[in-house]
């Protein structure tokens, strides 16, 4: 049955070649490898980044850690958190993100990254521990699901992002329930108590904070488009722009023109707006 998606992907790739003269999947792989070779961070950095994204996207698992581990393991986890907190500034940068500013170490950002790294280690640790305890085909499948997504998101995809991490969420949820269900063996239904519901409180608060941050990031594209349009309105020449997503939408809604390197022709006095992190 696993051959079915392989055949479908092969058909998709073949159809793309027939329509466009190039395979979209192979193009993505070539771009990922060339991008990493030219601009990608080192192995230590990419491991930290991937753990941080995994822990940030699945922070709820860390909220449940007091119910998942013995005190000895929790103590080791706290020690790992402290070591990560102290060691991160030695990297100076994570990808293009600087861990230092003119005043010194950016401890607020470093603390957040260290906490998310610990949360990412917790996710992988729960998957490993649960398979080691049960040693069934089901737990092996769940572990491979989580580990495979982690490897793809961090070491195969061209960049680490939340979209690449999210496919492991169902598997992590199942593993968490298996881990929490250890004390309910022999009963028809696991007992639901405040101890199971309480960790959801900080998880919900974190989710609301992330939602707020995402909203502010989305607004930044609209605010940038409005500011650029206002500052250059009435100037001689045309105003072109690069970039996609929300920035493209708001710039076009204000009447600005997207710049195509193959078709657009610039005239004296024209200006091109190039976003620092969204220029493709």
């Amino acid at each position: 049955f696993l051959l079915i998606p392989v055949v479908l992907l092969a058909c998709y790739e073949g159809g793309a070649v027939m329509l466009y003269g190039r395979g979209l999947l192979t193009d993505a792989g070539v771009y990922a490898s060339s991008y990493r070779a030219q601009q990608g961070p080192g192995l230590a950095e990419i491991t930290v980044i991937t753990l941080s994204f995994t822990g940030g996207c699945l922070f709820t698992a860390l909220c449940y850690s007091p119910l998942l581990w013995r005190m000895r393991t929790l103590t080791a986890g706290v020690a790992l958190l402290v070591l990560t907190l102290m060691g991160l500034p030695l990297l100076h940068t994570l990808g293009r993100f600087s861990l230092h500013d003119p005043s010194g170490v950016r401890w607020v950002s470093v603390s957040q990254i260290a906490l998310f790294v610990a949360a990412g280690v917790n996710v992988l640790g729960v998957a490993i521990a649960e398979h080691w305890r049960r040693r069934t085909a089901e737990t092996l499948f769940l572990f491979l699901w989580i580990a495979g997504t982690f490897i793809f998101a961090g070491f195969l995809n061209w960049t680490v992002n939340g979209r690449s991490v999210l496919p492991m969420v169902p598997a992590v949820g199942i593993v968490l329930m298996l881990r929490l269900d250890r004390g309910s063996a022999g009963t028809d239904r696991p007992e639901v108590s405040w101890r199971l519901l309480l960790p959801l409180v900080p998880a919900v608060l974190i989710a609301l904070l992330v939602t707020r941050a995402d909203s502010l990031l989305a607004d930044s594209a609209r605010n940038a488009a409005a500011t650029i349009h206002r500052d250059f309105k009435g100037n001689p020449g045309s105003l072109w722009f690069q970039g996609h997503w929300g920035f493209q939408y708001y710039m076009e809604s204000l009447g600005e023109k997207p710049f195509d390197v193959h078709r657009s022709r610039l005239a004296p006095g024209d200006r091109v707006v190039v976003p620092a992190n969204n220029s493709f």
Side-chain angles (χ1 to χ4, degrees):
F1 291 104
L2 293 177
L3 290 176
I4 295 175
V6 174
V7 172
L8 291 176
L9 288 173
C11 292
Y12 175 83
E13 185 76 349
V17 172
M18 294 175 61
L19 287 172
Y20 309 115
R22 57 199 306 172
L24 300 182
L25 296 178
T26 52
D27 263 15
V30 170
Y31 178 78
S33 59
S34 61
Y35 180 88
R36 285 193 178 277
Q38 296 173 9
Q39 305 184 42
L43 182 61
E45 288 183 63
I46 199 64
T47 301
V48 172
I49 292 170
T50 310
L51 285 171
S52 179
F53 268 81
T54 301
C57 291
L58 294 154
F59 195 79
T60 303
L62 185 66
C63 298
Y64 275 96
S65 57
L67 303 179
L68 302 174
W69 304 104
R70 293 187 176 93
M71 183 57 65
R72 180 177 56 187
T73 307
L74 291 174
T75 303
V78 173
L80 174 64
L81 174 60
V82 173
L83 289 175
T84 304
L85 185 62
M86 296 296 102
L88 276 176
L90 300 177
L91 293 177
H92 295 285
T93 61
L94 282 178
R96 296 183 178 180
F97 182 77
S98 177
L99 301 177
H100 297 257
D101 58 24
S103 62
V105 178
R106 303 171 66 176
W107 284 113
V108 174
S109 298
V110 168
S111 300
Q112 177 179 312
I113 294 170
L115 184 62
F116 286 171
V117 167
V121 173
N122 177 65
V123 168
L124 298 180
V126 169
I128 294 171
E130 194 57 25
H131 174 59
W132 183 261
R133 187 174 72 88
R134 296 177 182 260
R135 300 189 188 184
T136 64
E138 290 79 8
T139 56
L140 175 61
F141 172 75
L142 292 170
F143 166 72
L144 293 176
W145 182 346
I146 294 169
T149 305
F150 180 85
I151 292 171
F152 171 80
F155 303 95
L156 298 180
N157 198 24
W158 73 278
T159 184
V160 185
N161 54 58
R163 295 188 302 273
S164 300
V165 173
L166 289 180
M168 75 168 68
V169 170
V172 173
I174 295 172
V175 170
L176 285 180
M177 290 302 101
L178 289 174
R179 194 82 173 160
L180 293 171
D181 197 35
R182 286 178 298 175
S184 60
T187 62
D188 294 332
R189 181 179 299 175
E191 181 183 355
V192 178
S193 66
W194 65 269
R195 294 179 69 250
L196 292 179
L197 299 178
L198 190 60
L200 293 177
V201 175
V204 169
L205 292 177
I206 292 294
L208 292 175
L209 288 174
V210 171
T211 302
R212 175 60 177 162
D214 198 44
S215 174
L216 293 174
L217 179 61
D219 280 342
S220 68
R222 176 169 53 190
N223 295 336
T227 300
I228 292 168
H229 176 74
R230 182 185 67 245
D231 290 349
F232 290 96
K233 185 178 181 181
N235 284 12
S238 299
L239 182 64
W240 304 79
F241 70 92
Q242 288 188 335
H244 293 300
W245 309 323
F247 183 70
Q248 178 181 8
Y249 172 82
Y250 291 118
M251 288 292 282
E252 287 188 319
S253 68
L254 293 170
E256 312 301 354
K257 297 182 290 185
F259 180 78
D260 187 324
V261 295
H262 298 294
R263 298 181 178 87
S264 301
R265 294 292 180 267
L266 298 179
D270 287 359
R271 291 176 170 85
V272 181
V273 178
V274 182
N277 62 348
N278 176 20
S279 58
F280 299 108

